[in-house]
Amino acid sequence: MKNKLSLALVAALLASIATLHAQTNGSNSPYSYYGLGLLNDRTGALATSMAGATTAMRGGNIVNPLNPASFSATDSLTCLFDIGMSLQNANLDEGGRKVNAKNTSLDYVTLGFRIAPRLGLSVGMLPISTVGYKMTRTPPSQNVTAGEVTETDTYSGDGGLHNVYAGLGWEPFRGFSVGVSGGYIWGDITHNISAKLSDASAGSRSRKYETEIRSYKLDFGMQYEQNIGKGNSLTLGLRYGLGHTLQGKSTFSDGVLQGNTLSGDTLTLRNGYELPHSFSVGLAWQRGNTLRVSADYTLQKWGSVKSPVVGTTAEGGFSYTSEKGAYTDMNRYAIGAEYIPMGNHYNVRKHFRFRAGFAYTSPYARVNGQDGPKHYLATLGVGIPIHNPAHSSRVIILNIGGAYERVQPSVAGMLKENYLRFSIGLSFNEQWFAKWKAL
């Protein structure tokens, strides 16, 4: 029975990754037009409900992909499996014009277990960014030879980037752990802009930006845990994400339809996007098995990376090159806590995990030459044990969370966004490697 459930967990992981492209991308924001889209920080039940403040978090019953050094803490006899999805309601407000939109998305799938003393392994799928929006605008009427013509502009986008990773965490001596995680990044991003006129003889125009990325991701982590009294410990966590050029192809197409004649240009650019160097530092305090408090700071050096830019040539045609200037460095501050009323109590109700967090994130993409919007995030969550951990080798935690995110523009008149997000996930702690006892 145990072997069957173990195989089922691995099969669920592979099936979730294989069907990822069929999932909705969880975005309706026009801000996802810029850069690589909206950066996604939903990487596990613990991280999601603690606003991502988990660089220094570690434990035998959690998978923390934000820092591969934490994999070394996985319990020796267990396999950890975590999967989650979210439902989101967005309220978009621009100059009094309000729109509500709903989305669902598969957020993460992770698997972790120990492969040797003080050596842990984790594999999984995590989102990197999402793109999804559609909006229509009608500029003021213009006078054309055929008379007054109404123009309708439509903007739409879809896609995103995903990361399948495998990482190792090693504890060479007590309290000190290092880790490395390597991943495969893939995804397609498409943006369409069309301008249609009420008089077809006046012509119409369309532009299309397509990007296909197939590249790699590399992260390094370190954690140092120190006891600071009876039942208390303090952990320092560091993480570095390698910045590099993303392998892929970007295509820009511009077309004009005049009557029955279609003319235009198509330009292709190889390896036009770059991933920034990323640095995170975190500090976590743990009191026994009842309370965890963690604080994080993250810096992503987007200001020094390149991205595709459409320009014009001296002859009046289009150019398509990779240049700096579309981004700015991103700073993120987060704090989170998890409270278990009585961590060692036999009553299952005493094992509920209550979580909360808050985060502030500065923009990474520039919008029409100005800094993009700032993000404020507040989260709440609860982990509900399905079985009593004190009496069962198999623990299933139902994780339920809620989040409120406010997207505040830095320039008056820009689009304001408010999100209410509901997340649900399951964490399995399965005893894999225990030997059978003879009767």
Side-chain angles (χ1 to χ4, degrees):
M1 182 65 182
K2 292 184 178 183
N3 291 333
K4 289 182 179 179
L5 181 56
S6 301
L7 293 174
L9 295 181
V10 176
L13 171 66
L14 297 176
S16 299
I17 293 173
T19 59
L20 181 66
H21 286 295
Q23 307 298 319
T24 55
N25 61 28
S27 172
N28 270 104
S29 172
Y31 288 122
S32 65
Y33 168 81
Y34 301 94
L36 293 171
L38 302 182
L39 302 183
N40 202 319
D41 58 0
R42 281 161 268 172
T43 55
L46 189 70
T48 299
S49 294
M50 293 178 61
T54 56
T55 300
M57 295 294 291
R58 59 187 286 112
N61 59 351
I62 62 173
V63 179
N64 177 17
L66 291 182
N67 191 335
S70 68
F71 302 155
S72 66
T74 307
D75 286 340
S76 59
L77 298 179
T78 62
C79 173
L80 305 173
F81 179 80
D82 197 2
I83 183 170
M85 64 173 294
S86 62
L87 300 88
Q88 175 177 281
N89 182 74
N91 180 269
L92 315 180
D93 186 349
E94 183 181 26
R97 297 174 54 197
K98 296 183 179 181
V99 176
N100 285 302
K102 293 178 174 61
N103 298 95
T104 61
S105 64
L106 173 67
D107 290 335
Y108 59 85
V109 184
T110 61
L111 182 71
F113 53 90
R114 181 172 290 190
I115 57 176
R118 302 188 302 276
L119 182 65
L121 168 71
S122 177
V123 296
M125 181 280 297
L126 302 172
I128 294 180
S129 69
T130 58
V131 175
Y133 63 91
K134 185 173 184 179
M135 55 185 178
T136 301
R137 296 181 184 274
T138 304
S141 300
Q142 53 183 316
N143 292 322
V144 193
T145 53
E148 190 175 81
V149 177
T150 301
E151 177 182 330
T152 301
D153 298 338
T154 302
Y155 304 80
S156 63
D158 186 61
L161 299 182
H162 319 281
N163 175 33
V164 174
Y165 78 91
L168 289 171
W170 178 46
E171 188 177 9
F173 55 87
R174 187 174 179 82
F176 179 77
S177 299
V178 293
V180 61
S181 177
Y184 173 69
I185 298 177
W186 88 98
D188 301 307
I189 297 174
T190 301
H191 301 284
N192 292 285
I193 304 174
S194 65
K196 294 185 178 181
L197 303 178
S198 56
D199 184 355
S201 64
S204 61
R205 189 164 197 160
S206 65
R207 286 186 175 181
K208 190 172 188 177
Y209 304 81
E210 296 179 287
T211 296
E212 176 186 289
I213 290 178
R214 305 289 185 269
S215 195
Y216 69 93
K217 193 174 189 296
L218 198 59
D219 297 294
F220 303 89
M222 184 276 288
Q223 289 182 332
Y224 178 68
E225 184 178 15
Q226 177 66 51
N227 294 329
I228 55 172
K230 186 177 180 180
N232 291 271
S233 66
L234 196 64
T235 304
L236 172 68
L238 301 173
R239 187 191 69 87
Y240 166 67
L242 178 68
H244 60 88
T245 299
L246 292 172
Q247 303 298 307
K249 181 177 72 173
S250 299
T251 304
F252 165 72
S253 302
D254 179 82
V256 176
L257 180 63
Q258 188 74 36
N260 295 322
T261 303
L262 177 65
S263 60
D265 297 312
T266 298
L267 302 176
T268 300
L269 176 66
R270 301 291 304 183
N271 307 332
Y273 284 96
E274 292 181 339
L275 203 64
H277 296 284
S278 176
F279 308 87
S280 296
V281 58
L283 195 64
W285 169 62
Q286 182 162 337
R287 188 181 69 187
N289 295 317
T290 61
L291 180 63
R292 297 172 175 173
V293 180
S294 182
D296 273 23
Y297 167 69
T298 298
L299 170 64
Q300 295 184 358
K301 299 289 291 180
W302 286 96
S304 58
V305 305
K306 297 179 179 179
S307 62
V309 176
V310 177
T312 56
T313 64
E315 293 77 20
F318 291 107
S319 64
Y320 199 36
T321 57
S322 184
E323 302 177 7
K324 297 181 180 179
Y327 306 135
T328 183
D329 289 349
M330 190 193 82
N331 296 275
R332 191 176 195 275
Y333 304 86
I335 185 170
E338 181 184 51
Y339 174 62
I340 305 174
M342 295 185 68
N344 294 318
H345 200 279
Y346 288 142
N347 190 329
V348 68
R349 290 176 298 175
K350 301 296 184 180
H351 288 278
F352 276 39
R353 293 150 168 80
F354 300 97
R355 303 162 182 146
F358 177 80
Y360 162 78
T361 307
S362 67
Y364 87 96
R366 299 179 68 84
V367 178
N368 299 326
Q370 305 288 335
D371 286 346
K374 304 172 183 177
H375 292 246
Y376 300 88
L377 176 69
T379 63
L380 289 173
V382 59
I384 304 172
I386 306 301
H387 294 292
N388 190 338
H391 295 291
S392 174
S393 63
R394 183 180 302 158
V395 182
I396 302 176
I397 306 294
L398 174 64
N399 297 294
I400 300 173
Y404 169 74
E405 183 174 7
R406 179 172 178 81
V407 180
Q408 182 65 42
S410 55
V411 178
M414 292 176 63
L415 178 68
K416 298 178 182 178
E417 298 180 343
N418 293 280
Y419 294 93
L420 286 176
R421 190 174 299 122
F422 175 78
S423 61
I424 185 169
L426 287 174
S427 298
F428 297 84
N429 187 334
E430 167 72 9
Q431 193 173 46
W432 251 15
F433 305 106
K435 295 182 179 180
W436 290 96
K437 292 183 179 180
L439 298 176

